């Protein structure tokens, strides 16, 4: 099962000893520390043997994930050639130039911002609604929860999730101070695996100046806002908006930097940590900087091919490790409005320069290449729907690729094809990020029409409309959390629940949707121009498959109520 980047993002860094299969290491000191490399060593060998091999290549090990045999090493630029002479070292690739760092193509963050749209007036929701407990004050905006039968008389009337169920969010962080997050935030198990990166190897700004000591954010903040959005859709407590499973616990596994860059090291560290802590479910984003990982694409340099081979093998090991410890893994399917089962032209990779002179270039991508982690083993790839239940215009697809779909929002899913921000998905928004982006007036009222403020009992929370397959995936994560909650109750056990069983129930209870007729859909957007006129934009996308399994919907749109009832 698989995926490509959604309107979502990915990060690098070194973590200290956690006592959970990861530790700093004491390999012999190298002659130079001008660059940082990732080294994948042969599994099953004694730790000291791998350390000696790295030392023999004049590398200094600064971090190690023993669970999958991945080490971060500093040395001089000649290290890869020496390391490849060591039989125990399977793959070696540039991680970054020390002192400068990766670039997360600014346009990626910009796309994530602009999907919020600008077609509604800035809003302030009234407080003190006096509504029934299972109706959130902002429920009128949450068409997405109604589409999957979660709120009102849906699944939450039967099952709201159990605090014993812990969900890891591998993203840019979680704002634990947000009114809809605080109640369910698991501070004890939350960790920050990412190190923010001021600029890339070519000197381009990535995260900008570090704001925290060591460029590492506390484990209860979200400098970007993306992870907080996902967390609120999974388990928003209902203070302002309700998530699918408002009583489960949220664990922040920050692997994305402030700008939303998710590099391999922090991502696999977060995933193996989730497995060691026996989390039930994780919400996954894409591993940067390659949209697709190809072992031997002729468009890539030998160094770049080595990067991708290492990515593929390290992610395979990490996914296997988590799966064997009963972690259900759910990922975004990508927002390139592309059929992932067909050849693809990638023009944006790599969007992080690990070494000087590395830049994006055009690559013809055959189907054998992988977009990770969603196209990895044991991962469910989630596509997005709009308010009408049509496949969202941006949502990537492919028969046999999409597992299920869920609401991700589509601002152009309107009768006149003009943008309506309320047809995107409402999510929690950290106040600090809202202020940084200029979305609030000095008095705290919203100035961005996509932002809502809700205040009650002297506390205010902020919310923003967003869209993308990264907004669809947490809906499925929430339904999976409801399934696990009920299964654990039935089993009267705190042990893990089989990911295969969770997937079977998600598929079986999804609301099947056949391909549209005709199967080739012409998506139309009317994009407003500065002069007030509209420009018509078209995209043609073709659905393949049967009613109970096709490239647009997979097994169908998840149904929280059916899923809960199916468990009993």
């Amino acid at each position: 099962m698989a995926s490509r980047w959604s309107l979502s993002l990915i990060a690098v860094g070194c973590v200290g000893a956690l006592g959970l299969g990861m530790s700093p290491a004491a390999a012999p000191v190298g002659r130079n520390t001008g660059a940082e490399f990732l080294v994948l060593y042969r599994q099953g060998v004694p730790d000291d043997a791998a350390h000696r091999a790295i030392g023999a290549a004049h590398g200094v090990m600064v971090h190690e994930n023993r669970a999958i045999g991945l080490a971060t090493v500093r040395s001089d630029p000649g290290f890869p050639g020496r390391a490849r002479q060591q039989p125990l070292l399977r793959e070696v690739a540039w991680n970054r130039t020390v002192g400068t760092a990766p670039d997360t193509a600014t346009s990626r963050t910009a796309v994530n911002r602009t999907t919020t749209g600008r077609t509604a007036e800035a809003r302030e929701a009234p407080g003190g609604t006096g509504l029934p407990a299972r109706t959130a004050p902002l429920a009128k905006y949450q068409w997405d929860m109604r589409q999957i039968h979660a709120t009102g008389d849906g699944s939450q009337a039967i099952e709201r999730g159990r605090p014993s169920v812990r969900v890891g969010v591998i993203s840019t962080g979680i704002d634990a101070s947000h009114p809809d997050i605080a109640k369910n935030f698991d501070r004890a198990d939350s960790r920050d695996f990412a190190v923010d990166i001021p600029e890339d190897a070519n000197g381009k700004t990535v995260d900008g100046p570090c704001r925290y000591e060591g460029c590492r954010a506390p484990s209860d903040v979200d400098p970007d806002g993306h992870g907080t959005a996902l967390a609120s859709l999974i388990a928003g407590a209902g203070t302002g908006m309700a998530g699918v499973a408002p009583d489960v616990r949220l664990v922040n596994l920050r692997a994305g930097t402030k700008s939303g860059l998710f590099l391999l090291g922090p991502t696999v560290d977060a995933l193996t940590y989730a497995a060691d802590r026996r989390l039930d479910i994780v919400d996954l984003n894409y591993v940067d900087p390659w949209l697709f990982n190809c072992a031997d694409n002729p468009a890539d340099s030998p160094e770049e091919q080595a990067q991708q081979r290492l990515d593929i093998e390290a992610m395979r090991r990490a996914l296997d490790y988590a799966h064997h410890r009963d972690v259900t893994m759910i990922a975004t399917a990508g927002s390139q409005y592309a059929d992932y089962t067909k050849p693809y032209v990638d023009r944006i990779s790599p969007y992080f320069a690990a070494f000087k002179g590395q830049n994006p270039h055009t690559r013809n991508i055959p189907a054998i290449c992988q977009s990770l982690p969603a196209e990895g083993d044991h991962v469910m790839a989630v596509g997005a729907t709009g308010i009408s239940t049509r496949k969202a215009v941006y949502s990537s697809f492919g028969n046999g690729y999409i597992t299920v779909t869920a609401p991700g929002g589509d601002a152009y899913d309107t009768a006149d094809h003009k943008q309506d921000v309320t047809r995107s998905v409402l999510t929690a928004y950290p106040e600090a990020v809202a202020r940084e982006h200029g979305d609030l007036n000095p008095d705290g009222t919203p100035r961005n029409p996509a932002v809502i403020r809700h205040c009650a009992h002297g506390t205010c929370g902020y919310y923003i409309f967003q869209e993308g397959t990264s907004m669809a995936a947490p809906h499925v994560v929430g339904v999976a959390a409801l399934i696990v909650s009920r299964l654990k109750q039935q089993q009267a056990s705190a042990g893990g629940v089989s990911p295969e069983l969770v997937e079977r129930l998600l598929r079986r209870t999804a609301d099947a949707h056949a391909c549209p007729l005709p199967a080739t859909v012409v998506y139309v957007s009317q994009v407003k121009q500065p002069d007030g006129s509209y420009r018509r934009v078209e995209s043609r996308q073709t659905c393949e498959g049967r009613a109970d399994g096709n490239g647009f919907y997979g097994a169908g749109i998840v149904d929280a109520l059916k899923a809960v009832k199916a468990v009993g």
Side-chain angles (χ1 to χ4, degrees):
M1 302 167 189
S3 171
R4 265 158 224 187
W5 73 257
S6 67
L7 302 180
S8 163
L9 316 164
I10 311 196
V12 187
C14 305
V15 288
L18 300 174
L20 295 164
M22 292 176 280
S23 72
V29 176
R31 296 175 301 186
N32 196 312
T33 56
E36 194 171 88
F37 302 91
L38 292 177
V39 178
L40 196 69
Y41 56 79
R42 203 168 72 200
Q43 289 182 293
V45 302
D47 292 334
D48 59 350
H51 298 176
R52 285 196 303 272
I54 289 169
H58 306 295
V60 179
M61 190 185 295
V62 295
H63 173 66
E64 182 181 23
N65 185 321
R66 294 193 193 121
I68 63 168
L70 181 68
T72 304
V73 174
R74 287 191 178 183
S75 188
D76 63 273
F79 174 77
R82 297 190 299 270
R84 290 177 183 129
Q85 302 302 312
Q86 299 295 320
L88 296 185
L89 307 183
R90 302 297 298 270
E91 296 286 353
V92 57
W94 280 79
N95 194 20
R96 65 188 181 98
T97 298
V98 175
T100 57
D103 176 30
T104 193
T106 306
S107 60
R108 298 184 75 208
T109 305
V111 167
N112 201 39
R113 301 284 173 231
T114 57
T115 55
T116 54
R118 302 258 170 192
T119 60
E121 295 182 1
R123 306 174 181 81
E124 178 141 15
T129 63
L131 293 170
R134 66 173 187 259
T135 303
L138 300 180
K140 67 179 182 179
Y141 297 111
Q142 294 194 273
W143 62 266
D144 52 316
M145 296 297 166
R146 294 189 291 275
Q147 185 176 105
I148 65 170
H149 305 120
T151 52
D153 293 327
S155 60
Q156 290 178 10
I158 302 172
E159 179 62 71
R160 293 170 56 87
R162 310 297 166 98
S164 60
V165 174
R166 295 177 302 155
V167 179
V169 179
I170 300 180
S171 187
T172 60
I174 297 178
D175 176 13
S177 69
H178 193 283
D180 274 308
I181 301 295
K183 170 179 173 286
N184 296 325
F185 186 73
D186 188 331
R187 193 175 301 274
D189 276 340
S190 291
R191 296 287 186 275
D192 177 14
F193 298 92
V195 175
D196 288 337
I197 300 165
E199 60 182 27
D200 73 0
N202 292 326
K204 295 180 182 178
T205 299
V206 180
D207 297 308
C210 295
R211 62 178 60 189
Y212 300 105
E213 184 178 355
C215 291
R216 187 183 294 282
S219 61
D220 58 356
V221 303
D222 179 4
D224 174 77
H226 189 261
T228 301
L230 308 186
S232 67
L233 293 171
I234 296 165
T239 302
M241 60 167 284
V244 180
D247 288 345
V248 303
R249 300 288 286 168
L250 293 163
V251 181
N252 175 23
L253 304 176
R254 183 177 183 256
T257 68
K258 180 181 181 293
S259 61
L261 181 69
F262 293 74
L263 295 178
L264 179 71
T267 304
V268 298
D269 283 348
L271 188 52
T272 55
Y273 173 84
D276 287 337
R277 298 302 298 171
R278 302 287 174 166
L279 301 191
D280 295 285
I281 306 159
V282 293
D283 185 315
L284 292 161
N285 285 287
Y286 282 92
V287 178
D288 298 325
W290 300 96
L291 180 56
F292 296 92
N293 288 274
C294 306
D296 55 3
N297 194 306
D300 302 326
S301 69
E303 292 86 357
E304 291 172 332
Q305 292 176 7
Q307 283 182 327
Q308 294 166 79
R309 286 196 302 270
L310 191 147
D311 286 356
I312 292 167
E313 177 59 17
M315 279 304 305
R316 183 194 66 78
R317 293 182 185 184
L319 295 174
D320 283 349
Y321 187 83
H323 178 73
H324 292 155
R325 285 155 182 78
D326 289 330
V327 179
T328 294
M329 294 174 285
I330 296 168
T332 172
S335 298
Q336 298 77 34
Y337 44 90
D339 186 337
Y340 276 25
T341 66
K342 303 291 191 294
Y344 183 82
V345 179
D346 175 10
R347 294 185 174 89
I348 68 170
S349 301
Y351 31 81
F352 151 64
F355 50 86
K356 191 172 182 179
Q358 188 177 32
N359 287 295
H361 49 269
T362 299
R363 314 160 68 219
N364 293 315
I365 304 297
I368 195 172
C369 297
Q370 290 183 288
S371 183
L372 296 169
E375 288 190 306
D377 293 340
H378 320 302
V379 180
M380 287 180 264
V382 179
T385 59
I387 193 170
S388 71
T389 73
R390 79 174 190 179
K391 185 192 80 66
V393 59
Y394 54 80
S395 184
S396 291
F397 56 99
N399 192 21
Y401 166 64
I402 299 295
T403 306
V404 290
T405 48
D410 187 344
Y412 292 100
D413 188 4
T414 58
D416 60 2
H417 309 300
K418 293 180 180 179
Q419 190 183 52
D420 178 354
V421 69
T422 65
R423 297 197 169 210
S424 298
V425 172
L426 188 69
T427 68
Y429 194 28
E431 180 178 352
V433 177
R435 291 189 181 278
E436 181 181 356
H437 291 160
D439 289 335
L440 305 180
N441 294 310
D443 64 356
T445 55
R447 64 190 299 266
N448 179 344
V451 174
I452 295 175
R453 180 171 78 165
H454 175 263
C455 300
H457 310 297
T459 300
C460 294
Y462 291 90
Y463 305 85
I464 187 168
F465 287 98
Q466 301 190 73
E467 62 186 41
T469 54
S470 58
M471 299 301 122
H475 290 86
V476 181
V477 171
V479 178
L482 297 179
I483 291 172
V484 172
S485 293
R486 292 187 78 77
L487 288 172
K488 281 194 170 185
Q489 182 190 31
Q490 289 179 0
Q491 297 168 0
S493 168
V497 172
S498 163
E500 288 89 354
L501 176 57
V502 175
E503 180 175 345
R504 284 198 301 272
L505 286 166
L506 284 170
R507 286 179 177 272
R508 181 159 62 86
T509 59
D511 182 14
H513 276 246
C515 285
L517 292 175
T520 296
V521 178
V522 179
Y523 287 89
V524 177
S525 302
Q526 296 280 1
V527 182
K528 194 171 186 177
Q529 304 300 293
D531 64 0
S533 64
Y534 285 87
R535 177 171 60 89
R536 182 183 174 95
V537 178
E538 292 188 0
S539 170
R540 294 177 180 271
Q541 302 173 40
T542 301
C543 181
E544 297 175 337
R546 306 175 309 182
D548 60 349
N550 58 68
F552 273 18
Y553 294 97
I557 302 174
V558 292
D559 190 308
L561 182 58
K562 285 183 183 177
V564 166
K565 288 182 175 179
V567 179

